[in-house]
Amino acid sequence: MGIYYYKLNDLLNRRGLKKGDLIKMAEISNVTVSKLSSNKVVQTDMIDKVCKALNCQPGDIMEYIPDEDKEGER
């Protein structure tokens, strides 16, 4: 998958927050946070909750990076 959530960890670190804080603030499960940490598929309603809790845009917490295979197709 080409969606990566490393920006979320950067944002949490800059704000002095931990993953447990995000779970409480966004009212999401630890499973969802684990998926985000592992760059796995997360439903858009979970992204919405995270963005509302952190008062940010989706691009502030995730980034699309094309797979190597797709690079040659352009």
Side-chain angles (χ1 to χ4, degrees):
M1 187 169 104
I3 302 292
Y4 296 90
Y5 298 98
Y6 69 89
K7 288 182 166 186
L8 175 58
N9 289 329
D10 293 342
L11 182 62
L12 292 175
N13 287 334
R14 285 194 310 270
R15 295 187 182 183
L17 299 170
K18 298 188 183 289
K19 291 177 184 177
D21 298 323
L22 179 61
I23 289 169
K24 291 176 188 171
M25 293 169 61
E27 298 179 352
I28 58 176
S29 70
N30 59 342
V31 172
T32 299
V33 172
S34 178
K35 286 181 179 182
L36 290 165
S37 297
S38 302
N39 298 310
K40 298 207 173 166
V41 175
V42 178
Q43 294 181 11
T44 54
D45 61 328
M46 296 298 117
I47 301 297
D48 180 60
K49 286 183 172 193
V50 169
C51 289
K52 282 181 184 173
L54 296 175
N55 191 29
C56 66
Q57 294 294 314
D60 296 331
I61 63 167
M62 62 188 198
E63 180 176 15
Y64 170 72
I65 301 173
D67 294 333
E68 296 269 329
D69 297 334
K70 292 181 181 177
E71 285 292 319
E73 294 176 11
R74 291 185 192 186

